[in-house]
Amino acid sequence: MAKWTPTHEAPEPLEGPVVATITGGTILWFVLFLVQLPFYGWFDDHGHAWWVWTCLAGAGLGLIGIWYVRGRDAAIKRAAAAAGDDTSGTTDEGRNRA
């Protein structure tokens, strides 16, 4: 069987409000945890206690996600700023060598 190769380049990835999206999802998971917490006894009696803990795990992992995407966003902005500074064509090293 022949290996499939694409005939065109892949499109650029879409960049959206990633930090806001992850923050919103984290808040949603935590709210779901708080809403289910008063009914923990019912969930436990029916074998669904994992629903409550899944929401708490989602909120906890969301906090890690917020930390990660904020760092990623800051790194992208630093790289864009550095690329904008270097567009003059020459650097201090280039001037010294010339």
Side-chain angles (χ1 to χ4, degrees):
M1 178 180 254
K3 181 179 176 185
W4 180 79
T5 56
T7 57
H8 53 70
E9 291 186 29
E12 290 293 320
L14 296 174
E15 287 292 332
V18 180
V19 176
T21 302
I22 301 300
T23 302
T26 302
I27 291 170
L28 181 62
W29 277 115
F30 189 69
V31 167
L32 288 172
F33 169 73
L34 292 177
V35 167
Q36 291 179 358
L37 200 55
F39 305 103
Y40 183 79
W42 184 89
F43 283 114
D44 195 32
D45 292 343
H46 291 85
H48 298 300
W50 63 271
W51 288 6
V52 178
W53 302 119
T54 299
C55 292
L56 184 61
L61 290 172
L63 291 174
I64 295 170
I66 291 170
W67 171 76
Y68 179 82
V69 297
R70 287 186 69 204
R72 177 184 177 271
D73 194 40
I76 290 171
K77 287 179 182 175
R78 280 193 308 269
D85 292 343
D86 291 343
T87 57
S88 61
T90 60
T91 62
D92 289 336
E93 291 178 15
R95 290 185 198 135
N96 292 337
R97 282 188 259 161

